mmCIF file of all heavy atoms in Angstrom:
data_model
loop_
_atom_site.group_PDB
_atom_site.id
_atom_site.type_symbol
_atom_site.label_atom_id
_atom_site.label_comp_id
_atom_site.label_asym_id
_atom_site.label_seq_id
_atom_site.Cartn_x
_atom_site.Cartn_y
_atom_site.Cartn_z
ATOM 1 N N HIS A 112 -7.017 -45.954 19.369
ATOM 2 C CA HIS A 112 -5.635 -46.432 19.247
ATOM 3 C C HIS A 112 -4.815 -45.628 18.238
ATOM 4 O O HIS A 112 -3.680 -45.265 18.512
ATOM 5 C CB HIS A 112 -5.615 -47.912 18.862
ATOM 6 C CG HIS A 112 -6.107 -48.822 19.936
ATOM 7 N ND1 HIS A 112 -7.401 -49.272 20.006
ATOM 8 C CD2 HIS A 112 -5.465 -49.348 21.015
ATOM 9 C CE1 HIS A 112 -7.548 -50.037 21.073
ATOM 10 N NE2 HIS A 112 -6.403 -50.110 21.701
ATOM 11 N N ASN A 113 -5.378 -45.380 17.052
ATOM 12 C CA ASN A 113 -4.587 -44.691 16.033
ATOM 13 C C ASN A 113 -4.865 -43.189 16.051
ATOM 14 O O ASN A 113 -5.722 -42.690 16.790
ATOM 15 C CB ASN A 113 -4.839 -45.282 14.633
ATOM 16 C CG ASN A 113 -6.283 -45.104 14.182
ATOM 17 O OD1 ASN A 113 -6.856 -44.019 14.285
ATOM 18 N ND2 ASN A 113 -6.892 -46.179 13.677
ATOM 19 N N TYR A 114 -4.124 -42.463 15.226
ATOM 20 C CA TYR A 114 -4.158 -40.996 15.231
ATOM 21 C C TYR A 114 -5.554 -40.459 15.009
ATOM 22 O O TYR A 114 -6.021 -39.574 15.756
ATOM 23 C CB TYR A 114 -3.205 -40.472 14.152
ATOM 24 C CG TYR A 114 -3.062 -38.963 14.128
ATOM 25 C CD1 TYR A 114 -2.048 -38.346 14.855
ATOM 26 C CD2 TYR A 114 -3.931 -38.166 13.398
ATOM 27 C CE1 TYR A 114 -1.902 -36.956 14.846
ATOM 28 C CE2 TYR A 114 -3.794 -36.787 13.370
ATOM 29 C CZ TYR A 114 -2.784 -36.190 14.096
ATOM 30 O OH TYR A 114 -2.655 -34.815 14.090
ATOM 31 N N TRP A 115 -6.251 -40.973 13.997
ATOM 32 C CA TRP A 115 -7.543 -40.404 13.635
ATOM 33 C C TRP A 115 -8.621 -40.750 14.652
ATOM 34 O O TRP A 115 -9.544 -39.946 14.889
ATOM 35 C CB TRP A 115 -7.945 -40.870 12.226
ATOM 36 C CG TRP A 115 -6.973 -40.370 11.202
ATOM 37 C CD1 TRP A 115 -6.027 -41.094 10.528
ATOM 38 C CD2 TRP A 115 -6.807 -39.006 10.783
ATOM 39 N NE1 TRP A 115 -5.298 -40.275 9.707
ATOM 40 C CE2 TRP A 115 -5.752 -38.988 9.831
ATOM 41 C CE3 TRP A 115 -7.445 -37.812 11.093
ATOM 42 C CZ2 TRP A 115 -5.337 -37.824 9.213
ATOM 43 C CZ3 TRP A 115 -7.032 -36.642 10.479
ATOM 44 C CH2 TRP A 115 -5.990 -36.651 9.543
ATOM 45 N N GLU A 116 -8.528 -41.923 15.266
ATOM 46 C CA GLU A 116 -9.466 -42.272 16.333
ATOM 47 C C GLU A 116 -9.292 -41.346 17.539
ATOM 48 O O GLU A 116 -10.270 -40.856 18.122
ATOM 49 C CB GLU A 116 -9.267 -43.723 16.765
ATOM 50 C CG GLU A 116 -9.723 -44.746 15.731
ATOM 51 C CD GLU A 116 -9.381 -46.164 16.147
ATOM 52 O OE1 GLU A 116 -8.664 -46.337 17.155
ATOM 53 O OE2 GLU A 116 -9.814 -47.107 15.458
ATOM 54 N N ILE A 117 -8.029 -41.109 17.907
ATOM 55 C CA ILE A 117 -7.746 -40.219 19.034
ATOM 56 C C ILE A 117 -8.225 -38.804 18.720
ATOM 57 O O ILE A 117 -8.851 -38.139 19.561
ATOM 58 C CB ILE A 117 -6.236 -40.227 19.371
ATOM 59 C CG1 ILE A 117 -5.817 -41.604 19.884
ATOM 60 C CG2 ILE A 117 -5.903 -39.152 20.402
ATOM 61 C CD1 ILE A 117 -4.321 -41.789 20.021
ATOM 62 N N LEU A 118 -7.951 -38.331 17.491
ATOM 63 C CA LEU A 118 -8.386 -36.996 17.090
ATOM 64 C C LEU A 118 -9.912 -36.881 17.160
ATOM 65 O O LEU A 118 -10.452 -35.909 17.704
ATOM 66 C CB LEU A 118 -7.900 -36.687 15.673
ATOM 67 C CG LEU A 118 -8.353 -35.338 15.081
ATOM 68 C CD1 LEU A 118 -7.846 -34.175 15.929
ATOM 69 C CD2 LEU A 118 -7.875 -35.202 13.632
ATOM 70 N N GLY A 119 -10.634 -37.873 16.621
ATOM 71 C CA GLY A 119 -12.100 -37.847 16.637
ATOM 72 C C GLY A 119 -12.654 -37.834 18.053
ATOM 73 O O GLY A 119 -13.609 -37.106 18.362
ATOM 74 N N CYS A 120 -12.041 -38.633 18.930
ATOM 75 C CA CYS A 120 -12.474 -38.681 20.328
ATOM 76 C C CYS A 120 -12.284 -37.327 21.006
ATOM 77 O O CYS A 120 -13.199 -36.830 21.697
ATOM 78 C CB CYS A 120 -11.692 -39.769 21.065
ATOM 79 S SG CYS A 120 -12.059 -39.857 22.832
ATOM 80 N N PHE A 121 -11.146 -36.701 20.792
ATOM 81 C CA PHE A 121 -10.879 -35.428 21.449
ATOM 82 C C PHE A 121 -11.690 -34.278 20.851
ATOM 83 O O PHE A 121 -11.981 -33.294 21.534
ATOM 84 C CB PHE A 121 -9.376 -35.125 21.436
ATOM 85 C CG PHE A 121 -8.653 -35.734 22.607
ATOM 86 C CD1 PHE A 121 -8.219 -37.043 22.563
ATOM 87 C CD2 PHE A 121 -8.434 -35.012 23.773
ATOM 88 C CE1 PHE A 121 -7.575 -37.634 23.648
ATOM 89 C CE2 PHE A 121 -7.795 -35.573 24.857
ATOM 90 C CZ PHE A 121 -7.362 -36.884 24.805
ATOM 91 N N ILE A 122 -12.093 -34.410 19.579
ATOM 92 C CA ILE A 122 -13.026 -33.427 19.016
ATOM 93 C C ILE A 122 -14.359 -33.491 19.749
ATOM 94 O O ILE A 122 -14.943 -32.462 20.125
ATOM 95 C CB ILE A 122 -13.219 -33.658 17.498
ATOM 96 C CG1 ILE A 122 -11.973 -33.210 16.736
ATOM 97 C CG2 ILE A 122 -14.450 -32.897 16.993
ATOM 98 C CD1 ILE A 122 -12.023 -33.518 15.255
ATOM 99 N N LEU A 123 -14.858 -34.710 19.979
ATOM 100 C CA LEU A 123 -16.123 -34.867 20.703
ATOM 101 C C LEU A 123 -16.008 -34.374 22.143
ATOM 102 O O LEU A 123 -16.921 -33.721 22.667
ATOM 103 C CB LEU A 123 -16.558 -36.336 20.696
ATOM 104 C CG LEU A 123 -17.246 -36.842 19.423
ATOM 105 C CD1 LEU A 123 -17.477 -38.342 19.512
ATOM 106 C CD2 LEU A 123 -18.567 -36.115 19.200
ATOM 107 N N LEU A 124 -14.896 -34.687 22.795
ATOM 108 C CA LEU A 124 -14.697 -34.234 24.175
ATOM 109 C C LEU A 124 -14.630 -32.709 24.245
ATOM 110 O O LEU A 124 -15.199 -32.090 25.150
ATOM 111 C CB LEU A 124 -13.406 -34.835 24.748
ATOM 112 C CG LEU A 124 -13.415 -36.342 25.007
ATOM 113 C CD1 LEU A 124 -12.012 -36.828 25.372
ATOM 114 C CD2 LEU A 124 -14.392 -36.697 26.122
ATOM 115 N N GLY A 125 -13.929 -32.099 23.270
ATOM 116 C CA GLY A 125 -13.823 -30.646 23.251
ATOM 117 C C GLY A 125 -15.146 -29.983 22.923
ATOM 118 O O GLY A 125 -15.587 -29.058 23.615
ATOM 119 N N LEU A 126 -15.809 -30.474 21.868
ATOM 120 C CA LEU A 126 -17.085 -29.891 21.448
ATOM 121 C C LEU A 126 -18.140 -30.071 22.544
ATOM 122 O O LEU A 126 -18.871 -29.130 22.883
ATOM 123 C CB LEU A 126 -17.551 -30.548 20.150
ATOM 124 C CG LEU A 126 -18.847 -30.019 19.542
ATOM 125 C CD1 LEU A 126 -18.704 -28.554 19.172
ATOM 126 C CD2 LEU A 126 -19.236 -30.845 18.317
#
Side-chain angles (χ1 to χ4, degrees):
H112 291 95
N113 63 47
Y114 185 92
W115 297 107
E116 289 174 352
I117 294 170
L118 177 61
C120 176
F121 273 85
I122 287 175
L123 280 174
L124 291 171
L126 182 62

